Structure formats: structure tokens, C-alpha cells
Amino acid sequence: MGLRYHIDGTQEFGYNPINRFEYSFHLYMNTVKRITNLYQNASVLDIKGYVSHFCYLRLRCFDTLIKVVVEHKDFISASCLLRMLGDNVAVFRLIYREPDIDLLFLRHALYVIDGCENNLKVLPDAGFNEGTMPVEELEESKQQIRFNREHRQRLMREAQELLDHSPLQSRDKSAFDRIVEDRNWKFKEFVNRKKEKNQYRWNELYDLIDECKFFDLLSYISQYAHGLSMSNLVLEMDEQNIHGIVTVAVGLLDRLHTYTKEFFVEEYQYIQEGLLEPDMRDKILSYFDEQHRPDIESWNLGVINKIKEANDMASLHQQR
């Protein structure tokens, strides 16, 4: 019997971390389904559509992660996926939970441009596999590359449009110009300062999501993602390793879900109403053990009370 890793609320699932993950996963699935139903346009210019698409892709990654753990018991691949998901949760925390809406759009636009520019550097525009592929396959490959390049360029144009209309230019043009020139979406402060002195490192971004208080966990598992000697160790995916991987995954999933609901706070009631739909509700309830599973009436009442509390708080805020 391996060491049991503690996950908040695990006692409600018969101390089964897989069930705890599935519970959190399906709660997040409900949220993602509801927001993507409302915001189907993933354009850079449509911030809620872009973020809903971002969340959908992360949901799929979490689904892949649990399959790698449960079905394939592949510790190395699971660690690589965890590192990638940790990066994305940190990105969401920094960019889309930015309280200043103008700074949020600045980070958002630069994040898109930085990613597209780096992708275009390694995405060839000519001479790809000349002489090594049949003519038909070569032309098909070239068409796909052209499509990908045009797609990145379109995203960059949309992001540049946000920059061109940013009110931050009048707030502090020198700071704005420096940050834009450096593509510094990880800036710490909106000031005219060199990039290396005004940029979060990844381990600092991990601290923002408070994934682990004792050591830099996500930097540690990056040793698997980077193919260092750690990826060549022979590790059995036993109960202890499974619990460890799933514990981290649940922490990241719950944090991302919290950030998502905070971003889509105006859609809270619509999101919560999805938990009353029989298919989603029954799926979520199936992950409780028999002892702790709430009955349907109690579950529905709990959801309705949360909606009422949120509406009351919103009304009180408006009155102020």
C-alpha cells in the first residue's frame, strides 16, 4: 500500500483520488460547455470567446492526462502533461485574472503575438522537404504550412489592433512602447524598464498559483518534459505515484476552474444551471461513494442556493 496523498474533500469519495479528479473534471466540463455555448467565436478580438476556447483546450488536456495515468500508467508522459498544464494555469492566472482591464488586454495581445512570432520562426515558408516527398504529398504539405502561417499572421493582426487602440499609450507611452517592443506579456509592473528586470520567471508564476508551498514542484517535473536523465529512470506507476500525479492534477484543475468562474462571473447563474441538468448532475454524483453521495433533491437545492447567494451579492454590490 503506497503513501496516501491528501486532497481536500477526498473523504467524500471514499479516499479515491481518481474519483476526486473525475468529480472536479466534470464540474469543470459543465463550466466549459456552458461558456463555449455562449461564446463560440475564438477570435483574439473577442476576449470571452478566446478564453472559453482556451479553457476547452485545457479541459481536453486534463482528459488526456487522466487517461495516460489510468489506462497507460505512463509516469513520464503524465509528468510532461502536468508541466504543460501548470504553465497554462499560471498563464491564465497572470493574464486573464489581471484586475486592470487595459493591462489584461495588453498582456493578452502580447501573449498572442509572442507565441505566433516564435511559431513562425520555426514554421518554414519555402523549401520544406524538397526532394524527399512525392509531389502530391509535398504540395499538400505546402498548402498546410501556408494555411498555418496565414492563421498565425491573422492572429497577430488582430492582436496588433488591440495594441493600436490601447488607452495605455496615453497613460505612459514610454512604458507601453518598451513592453510592446520586448513582447513582455510577463511584465511585473507597467513601467519603462528593461525586460530582464521587469519580467516574471516561470517559477515566480508558479508561486502565483500556489501549487506547492514546500518546493518548486512544477520546475521539478519539467525535468521529465525536457528529456533529462529523469525521463530515463525506470518508475513503476504504483499507487503512490498515481496518487501523487492525480493530487497535483486536481490542484491545477481546481485552480483553473476557480479562475475561470472568476473571469466569467457575469455568467455564473447560467453556468450553475447546467449542474441541474440530469445528465451532468448524475454523472457528477456518480463519483461520490455510497456513504457521502447527496440525493438529487439535496444537490439541486444546494445549487439553487448558491445561485441565489450569488444573485444577492451581485444586487448588494450594485446598490453600493
Side-chain angles (χ1 to χ4, degrees), residues 271-294:
I271 291 171
Q272 290 296 104
E273 287 171 350
L275 299 176
L276 299 174
E277 294 186 354
D279 288 346
M280 181 60 71
R281 178 199 63 210
D282 294 346
K283 187 68 174 178
I284 292 171
L285 291 179
S286 70
Y287 294 109
F288 287 85
D289 68 1
E290 293 291 340
Q291 180 181 354
H292 298 93
R293 182 179 299 118

Side-chain angles (χ1 to χ4, degrees), residues 87-152:
D87 286 1
N88 279 278
V89 175
V91 165
F92 196 105
R93 166 65 177 79
L94 178 68
I95 299 178
Y96 302 110
R97 294 307 303 130
E98 167 62 60
D100 185 318
I101 189 62
D102 294 330
L103 294 181
L104 186 155
F105 275 101
L106 174 59
R107 292 189 191 276
H108 167 67
L110 293 178
Y111 173 64
V112 172
I113 291 174
D114 185 38
C116 290
E117 284 183 338
N118 280 287
N119 190 248
L120 286 171
K121 288 178 183 178
V122 296
L123 192 62
D125 56 0
F128 180 66
N129 281 339
E130 295 282 359
T132 63
M133 298 176 66
V135 175
E136 296 81 5
E137 293 182 18
L138 180 61
E139 183 56 35
E140 183 179 341
S141 177
K142 287 182 177 180
Q143 289 179 3
Q144 184 63 41
I145 290 173
R146 282 195 294 268
F147 172 82
N148 288 333
R149 290 185 64 85
E150 291 170 0
H151 174 255
R152 273 61 164 183

Side-chain angles (χ1 to χ4, degrees), residues 5 17 61 66 92 117 125 140 142 160 169 185 230 236 267 290 298 303:
Y5 290 76
C61 291
I66 201 65
F92 196 105
E117 284 183 338
D125 56 0
E140 183 179 341
K142 287 182 177 180
Q160 185 62 48
Q169 296 183 73
W185 55 272
M230 294 290 284
E236 296 294 333
E267 295 78 10
E290 293 291 340
S298 298
V303 172

Side-chain angles (χ1 to χ4, degrees), residues 35-253:
I35 60 177
T36 52
N37 184 49
L38 289 175
Y39 305 105
Q40 300 179 14
N41 183 7
S43 166
V44 174
L45 298 173
D46 180 357
I47 190 69
K48 288 196 172 182
Y50 186 94
V51 172
S52 66
H53 183 69
F54 180 104
C55 294
Y56 169 72
L57 293 177
R58 301 295 81 76
L59 180 74
R60 292 185 61 181
C61 291
F62 276 110
D63 186 41
T64 299
L65 171 64
I66 201 65
K67 287 181 171 63
V68 167
V69 171
V70 175
E71 297 178 15
H72 301 285
K73 295 182 172 55
D74 182 350
F75 186 84
I76 305 301
S77 297
S79 296
C80 294
L81 283 167
L82 274 180
R83 163 61 194 269
M84 180 272 291
L85 286 164
D87 286 1
N88 279 278
V89 175
V91 165
F92 196 105
R93 166 65 177 79
L94 178 68
I95 299 178
Y96 302 110
R97 294 307 303 130
E98 167 62 60
D100 185 318
I101 189 62
D102 294 330
L103 294 181
L104 186 155
F105 275 101
L106 174 59
R107 292 189 191 276
H108 167 67
L110 293 178
Y111 173 64
V112 172
I113 291 174
D114 185 38
C116 290
E117 284 183 338
N118 280 287
N119 190 248
L120 286 171
K121 288 178 183 178
V122 296
L123 192 62
D125 56 0
F128 180 66
N129 281 339
E130 295 282 359
T132 63
M133 298 176 66
V135 175
E136 296 81 5
E137 293 182 18
L138 180 61
E139 183 56 35
E140 183 179 341
S141 177
K142 287 182 177 180
Q143 289 179 3
Q144 184 63 41
I145 290 173
R146 282 195 294 268
F147 172 82
N148 288 333
R149 290 185 64 85
E150 291 170 0
H151 174 255
R152 273 61 164 183
Q153 291 162 353
R154 176 177 61 80
L155 295 179
M156 290 171 62
R157 288 194 298 270
E158 292 177 351
Q160 185 62 48
E161 185 175 338
L162 292 175
L163 296 178
D164 291 342
H165 294 90
S166 174
L168 293 171
Q169 296 183 73
S170 58
R171 186 189 301 187
D172 188 335
K173 193 172 188 311
S174 64
F176 180 83
D177 290 344
R178 168 63 70 93
I179 289 172
V180 170
E181 180 182 358
D182 290 342
R183 303 295 191 247
N184 185 15
W185 55 272
K186 296 196 291 285
F187 62 87
K188 292 183 177 180
E189 298 178 273
F190 183 66
V191 294
N192 183 0
R193 189 178 299 152
K194 291 183 178 180
K195 183 177 181 179
E196 57 269 21
K197 295 183 178 180
N198 188 34
Q199 185 179 61
Y200 285 108
R201 298 176 181 177
W202 278 107
N203 61 335
E204 293 174 316
L205 292 181
Y206 300 151
D207 287 341
L208 292 180
I209 63 174
D210 191 27
E211 173 56 26
C212 185
K213 295 180 180 297
F214 304 108
F215 71 104
D216 189 353
L217 178 64
L218 292 173
S219 291
Y220 172 78
I221 64 175
S222 71
Q223 297 175 82
Y224 298 98
H226 294 313
L228 301 178
S229 60
M230 294 290 284
S231 64
N232 296 317
L233 296 177
V234 178
L235 292 173
E236 296 294 333
M237 187 65 103
D238 57 16
E239 183 184 24
Q240 178 173 341
N241 285 331
I242 288 176
H243 285 191
I245 289 287
V246 175
T247 294
V248 179
V250 169
L252 291 174
L253 180 55

